[in-house]
Amino acid sequence: MQAPHTSLGKGAFGEGTASLITVKYQSYHAALTFLTGALQQPNGLGLLYGPLGAGKTTVLRELSEQLSRESAVAFVDGRRLKPRKLLTAILAQFGVEAHAQADDELLQMIRAFATQLTRSFEPPILIIDNVDRTYPSTLRIVNDLASLNVQGRSALRFIMAGHETLNTLVASDGMKNVAERDPSLYSMGPLSAKETMIYLHARLQAAGSERADTVFPFDVCDRLREKSGGWPGLLNLFALEAIERATDWPVSVADTEPPEETDAQAADDIPLLDARDAVYPIPPRIIVTRNGKALADYTFADKKVLIGRSDFADIVIDDDFVSKIHAVLLLYADALVLLDLNSANGTTVNSVAVKKTILKEDDIISLGHHRLKVRNAPAISAAMAELLKSPDTLKMKNLVDLRRQRARQLTKAAKNSSA
């Protein structure tokens, strides 16, 4: 692989990029909303948990920045954190000067600061990431701080993050004061298939890629999601690995244990027509309408055309009933194929719900409140026309077989003509 490709991968997915490139998704927003609400509750204590690479640290960093505009906030990483380092880090971020006092004196300084701030304004906030990976002696300090209150009001608000065992840790005997505050819990969720594609493309664009969809096409994004489980941290690792292993573009993840081949992936193995080649006298078009009013007239300039609500789509459909990446059109020399990409509300062609189908001239694709009319579709041969009578799954399988057979025939004919 050439160096620019490697640099692009490291810039988008390498170490140190998390703090520079933040792509927000549904679980990210939900976690921020939940934790902000937890701090406003009387107990003022929220727990965030999830597996390695779930994006917890990124959420906490954003939360800390938001809260620090109006509150005193200390944000510490609990990994192998000893009591003294915890105490000095808290005081430093609260803006309290601490010299070489004993641990008990440092703890007392935090108590005094929190008590004073609670009485005059509002309790300060302590955010501890990786709290389940800290020393037991440090956890005892955290438990002690959790008991601090002023006139029945908690004088130090907490957010703690860790792996799935965090709830068990908080319920242990050594964390009784934390458990008594009845903390609220939120579990991070993975990215959906659509969010994964948006995440990968956004990071590539932030790193300087002008056509992120050619680096990671939608099918590659799906494979990366399946391998990573949709967790951002793991997604970064596998995306970087895929780029570093690739030698040709677009990137292939064949070396990253792809799932069993589907009909769509099998069809994708066959070379598609480049619409920019002078094969058609008139290239295919898609006319987009709503309530009978023409909104757009898209002329094919590529062999794959994504349709959806997202700005990443080639044909953008502004409709709440259309998924961000809803469907794809695949252009062959003798067929135009539509694939629904597991959209939420489905796709119909000529009022018939479809997952995969061959499109004909003047077919009407319905997406939400919009209609897409097919013009200048490739002429369908007699064999192709026969496939239109088959069930969708069988139709696609037969289409693949037929196209492979034709490809072999064309190759053989070309060799004979040149002999």
Side-chain angles (χ1 to χ4, degrees):
M1 171 174 288
Q2 299 176 0
H5 296 158
T6 302
S7 298
L8 174 65
K10 290 182 177 179
F13 308 108
E15 293 184 6
T17 61
S19 60
L20 301 176
I21 307 170
T22 300
V23 182
K24 301 176 181 179
Y25 47 98
Q26 182 177 353
S27 184
Y28 182 101
H29 287 294
L32 281 175
T33 300
F34 177 87
L35 295 175
T36 302
L39 291 174
Q40 303 305 318
Q41 298 300 316
N43 60 359
L45 202 160
L47 302 180
L48 178 67
Y49 66 97
L52 179 67
K56 301 183 295 293
T57 300
T58 306
V59 170
L60 295 184
R61 188 184 297 113
E62 172 75 11
L63 181 66
S64 176
E65 291 178 359
Q66 291 182 7
L67 296 173
S68 61
R69 298 166 190 162
E70 298 182 357
S71 303
V73 180
F75 181 14
V76 298
D77 187 341
R79 284 179 293 185
R80 302 183 65 82
L81 186 66
K82 294 184 178 180
R84 188 170 186 80
K85 286 190 176 181
L86 171 68
L87 296 170
T88 54
I90 293 174
L91 288 169
Q93 294 184 57
F94 282 164
V96 179
E97 293 187 6
H99 302 291
Q101 292 96 342
D103 289 355
D104 288 345
E105 293 175 312
L106 295 173
L107 182 59
Q108 186 56 37
M109 291 177 69
I110 295 175
R111 286 177 170 273
F113 174 82
T115 299
Q116 180 182 0
L117 201 61
T118 301
R119 286 173 175 168
S120 59
F121 184 52
E122 62 179 12
I125 301 168
L126 174 57
I127 300 175
I128 308 177
D129 194 10
N130 298 305
V131 68
D132 54 339
R133 299 174 65 183
T134 196
Y135 290 107
S137 55
T138 305
L139 287 176
R140 286 194 290 271
I141 297 293
V142 173
N143 185 63
D144 186 54
L145 289 171
S147 66
L148 184 61
N149 67 83
V150 175
Q151 297 177 343
R153 182 185 182 190
S154 297
L156 187 61
R157 292 175 289 173
F158 283 86
I159 293 294
M160 302 181 196
H163 292 175
E164 294 92 331
T165 57
L166 181 59
N167 193 25
T168 303
L169 174 66
V170 171
S172 64
D173 292 339
M175 300 289 282
K176 287 184 177 180
N177 293 334
V178 174
E180 286 177 357
R181 287 177 62 166
D182 191 22
S184 304
L185 291 89
Y186 182 83
S187 174
M188 291 291 293
L191 281 74
S192 67
K194 298 172 187 176
E195 290 173 336
T196 296
M197 188 186 70
I198 293 172
Y199 176 90
L200 292 170
H201 288 181
R203 292 184 75 93
L204 284 168
Q205 289 177 339
S209 174
E210 296 182 357
R211 287 297 305 273
D213 58 323
T214 64
V215 180
F216 284 151
F218 70 90
D219 56 328
V220 175
C221 293
D222 284 345
R223 295 187 187 187
L224 288 172
R225 181 185 181 275
E226 290 180 12
K227 186 170 178 62
S228 66
W231 300 112
L234 295 179
L235 196 57
N236 291 343
L237 292 176
F238 294 129
L240 180 58
E241 178 186 6
I243 289 179
E244 290 179 341
R245 288 187 179 185
T247 56
D248 298 308
W249 298 94
V251 170
S252 169
V253 291
D255 294 331
T256 58
E257 301 176 8
E260 185 177 353
E261 184 180 65
T262 64
D263 288 339
Q265 291 163 354
D268 201 39
D269 288 339
I270 303 171
L272 301 179
L273 172 73
D274 188 338
R276 291 166 293 188
D277 295 339
V279 176
Y280 296 122
I282 304 176
R285 293 163 51 209
I286 299 295
I287 302 173
V288 182
T289 64
R290 177 165 181 167
N291 297 327
K293 181 180 179 181
L295 302 178
D297 190 334
Y298 181 90
T299 300
F300 272 70
D302 208 343
K303 55 191 177 182
K304 289 184 181 180
V305 176
L306 285 172
I307 304 173
R309 199 175 74 248
S310 169
D311 290 338
F312 289 103
D314 300 300
I315 301 179
V316 179
I317 307 295
D318 186 12
D319 191 316
D320 290 339
F321 292 95
V322 174
S323 299
K324 290 182 179 179
I325 298 298
H326 194 105
V328 64
L329 297 173
L330 305 178
L331 180 58
Y332 299 91
D334 53 0
L336 180 60
V337 176
L338 168 70
L339 302 179
D340 182 278
L341 300 178
N342 296 319
S343 63
N345 295 297
T347 302
T348 64
V349 175
N350 301 330
S351 301
V352 178
V354 299
K355 281 293 184 181
K356 320 173 189 70
T357 191
I358 304 169
L359 296 171
K360 307 185 302 298
E361 181 72 8
D362 292 331
D363 274 352
I364 302 296
I365 305 168
S366 298
L367 303 179
H369 299 294
H370 290 70
R371 303 292 177 266
L372 285 70
K373 187 172 184 177
V374 180
R375 301 301 307 272
N376 306 328
I380 300 175
S381 64
M384 288 289 184
E386 189 65 25
L387 293 180
L388 295 177
K389 303 175 184 178
S390 307
D392 276 343
T393 302
L394 178 61
K395 183 189 306 179
M396 286 303 300
K397 183 179 184 302
N398 290 342
L399 173 61
V400 172
D401 293 340
L402 180 60
R403 285 201 49 78
R404 284 175 174 160
Q405 180 182 356
R406 287 195 173 186
R408 288 193 294 269
Q409 292 173 346
L410 289 172
T411 300
K412 182 178 180 181
K415 288 181 178 179
N416 292 336
S417 63
S418 61

